[in-house]
Amino acid sequence: MASNSLLTETLFTSLVTAAILLQLEAVLRDVIDVQAIASVFIAGLFIGLATLVRPIGEVLIVVAPLPAIFLGGLAPTKRIALALLAVSVPLVIIAGWSYRNWDRRGLWRFSTIAALDTYYYRAAGVLAYENGRSFEEVRTELVRSTGNSEEALSPEITEDLSRQGRAILRSHPGAFCIVALRGFLKSAFSVDRCGLRILCGFETPRREADAGISEKILSILSSPLLSLVLLMEYCLLAFTWAGAALALWCLRDSPSGNKALCMIPLFAAVLLLAAAAGPEGYDRFRVPAMPLLAIVAASGWTGRYRLIANSRTTRTHV
């Protein structure tokens, strides 16, 4: 993992997690006062700052007004006002940065990353799937077609590539859905064996993608340490997703505060995973979602134990 990716991922994750915790704190107070309004405002600010760190944070704008939905005892006008306040903060930050890009480059766009990703990654993945070719091969051809550069392109070329990418996705909706679903599942459940090998101090003689399933299994089993670390990571993933499923199951009889404790972080986590879903899906894309999923899983497992304890108490009294 490149050092710049590690640093931005850590900062982005910290800002997003802090924003969601502030939202939950405002909802769990169950009273609309200055502290609750300040929490919602600062949460919107953190979402805006997170978007500056990684433009993928734009999808979290729809999460900003969620506390207004779960706060009880609010008149409709106050609920709408609080939602507008929450969403206006990140929108102002995004609009300000978009104006800065228009002033300097003549391009009214928050970031060119999304436009280039649409062409170099999403469209490349769809074309690779439709033609039975490897993703890297198709992506390399697309990069070469623009002068072997994914950066420092003129605003006109960037907009043209974005239009071409969207046109390819519209022309192959089925392939786009399949590629996106694969990317989502890979980001949500996969474990990067190459990264673990490096972490454990082993060399990777060849790319994992070039090896067959039997070769991958033998490579993992050849190292007890690598096998143990891989097993631990899969167990933690299973435990987290199982807790999230339990949280959803326990929502039926939960009060509004507990529903917010589950729905807000889960919605934000799924949005982040879905926004990163593509043919290049890495488990690194799961990093910002993991603290949010941990909150949901904790709610699910504690709710499950609470239900068991209540049922035992009921049987005892009977």
Side-chain angles (χ1 to χ4, degrees):
M1 182 185 297
S3 59
N4 62 335
S5 298
L6 178 63
L7 293 174
T8 57
E9 210 75 68
T10 303
L11 180 58
F12 178 76
T13 302
S14 300
L15 289 170
V16 170
T17 304
I20 299 301
L21 289 176
L22 284 169
Q23 289 185 332
L24 295 179
E25 194 274 338
V27 173
L28 293 176
R29 284 177 59 82
D30 203 25
V31 59
I32 186 67
D33 55 10
V34 175
Q35 186 173 342
I37 295 175
S39 296
V40 173
F41 178 85
I42 297 173
L45 177 63
F46 282 172
I47 290 175
L49 294 176
T51 304
L52 291 177
V53 177
R54 284 195 61 200
I56 197 175
E58 286 182 282
V59 299
L60 295 178
I61 291 177
V62 298
V63 178
L66 290 184
I69 298 176
F70 290 98
L71 274 170
L74 280 180
T77 54
K78 291 184 178 180
R79 196 180 300 276
I80 294 173
L82 183 61
L84 290 176
L85 172 66
V87 79
S88 64
V89 181
L91 283 179
V92 167
I93 294 175
I94 292 174
W97 193 260
S98 300
Y99 174 78
R100 175 258 184 197
N101 291 338
W102 177 80
D103 183 57
R104 294 193 177 186
R105 297 194 60 194
L107 183 66
W108 184 267
R109 187 182 286 272
F110 177 69
S111 173
T112 59
I113 292 177
L116 297 179
D117 278 355
T118 301
Y119 183 72
Y120 288 126
Y121 291 91
R122 303 299 184 268
V126 168
L127 292 176
Y129 177 83
E130 285 287 343
N131 299 309
R133 302 168 62 190
S134 71
F135 163 69
E136 287 296 335
E137 180 184 356
V138 175
R139 193 182 77 88
T140 300
E141 289 183 1
L142 295 182
V143 173
R144 287 175 180 170
S145 68
T146 57
N148 292 314
S149 175
E150 297 184 49
E151 300 178 357
L153 297 174
S154 66
E156 294 77 13
I157 294 179
T158 300
E159 285 294 332
D160 184 58
L161 293 181
S162 179
R163 283 193 295 269
Q164 292 183 45
R166 292 195 301 269
I168 293 172
L169 299 183
R170 286 194 300 267
S171 301
H172 308 280
F176 170 65
C177 292
I178 293 174
V179 171
L181 179 60
R182 286 179 175 178
F184 178 86
L185 295 176
K186 187 175 182 181
S187 297
F189 301 106
S190 71
V191 176
D192 183 10
R193 289 176 292 272
C194 293
L196 288 178
R197 290 184 68 89
I198 296 173
L199 179 65
C200 296
F202 300 102
E203 294 183 358
T204 304
R206 51 187 281 181
R207 294 179 56 188
E208 288 277 350
D210 296 331
I213 296 178
S214 60
E215 292 179 347
K216 291 179 181 179
I217 295 176
L218 290 175
S219 175
I220 294 171
L221 295 178
S222 64
S223 168
L225 178 59
L226 180 62
S227 302
L228 177 62
V229 174
L230 189 63
L231 178 62
M232 289 175 58
E233 186 158 358
Y234 273 120
C235 287
L236 286 174
L237 272 177
F239 183 80
T240 302
W241 283 110
L246 284 174
L248 289 175
W249 177 258
C250 296
L251 279 181
R252 298 168 299 170
D253 304 318
S254 298
S256 178
N258 288 351
K259 289 180 179 178
L261 189 61
C262 171
M263 296 303 298
I264 292 179
L266 181 60
F267 184 51
V270 171
L271 275 179
L272 290 172
L273 291 173
E280 79 286 8
Y282 303 114
D283 60 353
R284 177 175 67 85
F285 296 157
R286 188 173 60 242
V287 171
M290 285 307 296
L292 310 180
L293 291 174
I295 296 173
V296 181
S299 174
W301 285 112
T302 54
R304 176 61 176 171
Y305 290 137
R306 193 178 299 114
L307 289 175
I308 295 175
N310 290 340
S311 64
R312 289 178 177 174
T313 303
T314 302
R315 286 198 300 268
T316 302
H317 288 299
V318 172

